[in-house]
Amino acid sequence: MDIQLKRGLLDVCVLAAIRSEDSYGYKIIKDLKPYIELSESTLYTILKRLEAASLLTVRTAEHDGRLRKYYHITEDGLERIKEFKSDWNEILSIYRFVSKEDESNE
């Protein structure tokens, strides 16, 4: 898979994981596990990129005597998910077109 496409997909997956409630790294990985395998190092790279793009914010809070970073989606992050859904419909349309010959040859 094209690296840029994969990066975009992973970004949207992480945003979707925090869409309904603030979350932290381990929980994001756990929530995504049924859908996609994501290492901690990859996740934290994505989170930093999303923060730099103002698609999420970060706050630190104490949990069981340790500091934990919680991630919150911004309005721009929610907009990015909407854009992805719109783009995905176009990709599906292209896929159906490309696959049309395969279906007629079966």
Side-chain angles (χ1 to χ4, degrees):
M1 177 182 291
D2 177 73
I3 191 71
Q4 294 294 7
L5 177 59
K6 188 172 185 176
R7 177 183 289 177
L9 292 172
L10 291 175
D11 287 359
V12 172
C13 286
V14 170
L15 290 171
I18 63 172
R19 175 179 38 200
S20 61
E21 66 179 343
D22 293 0
S23 194
Y24 54 94
Y26 177 75
K27 185 169 183 325
I28 295 169
I29 289 173
K30 189 172 127 189
D31 291 345
L32 290 175
K33 193 169 188 147
Y35 308 100
I36 189 164
E37 194 70 31
L38 196 62
S39 70
E40 282 186 46
S41 61
T42 299
L43 173 65
Y44 288 109
T45 300
I46 293 167
L47 289 168
K48 286 179 185 179
R49 182 172 57 245
L50 294 174
E51 181 183 15
S54 300
L55 300 177
L56 59 80
T57 58
V58 183
R59 70 176 169 84
T60 304
E62 190 174 327
H63 178 78
D64 291 336
R66 296 182 57 182
L67 292 179
R68 178 184 281 174
K69 288 184 177 182
Y70 288 87
Y71 300 90
H72 176 80
I73 194 166
T74 63
E75 287 298 320
D76 288 343
L78 292 170
E79 185 60 33
R80 177 63 194 109
I81 292 173
K82 286 180 190 175
E83 290 169 4
F84 169 80
K85 288 178 180 179
S86 176
D87 292 347
W88 192 252
N89 286 330
E90 185 177 353
I91 291 169
L92 287 176
S93 178
I94 293 167
Y95 175 80
R96 284 190 292 275
F97 173 74
V98 171
S99 298
K100 191 174 8 176
E101 279 190 29
D102 294 341
E103 293 171 2
S104 64
N105 289 334
E106 290 178 358

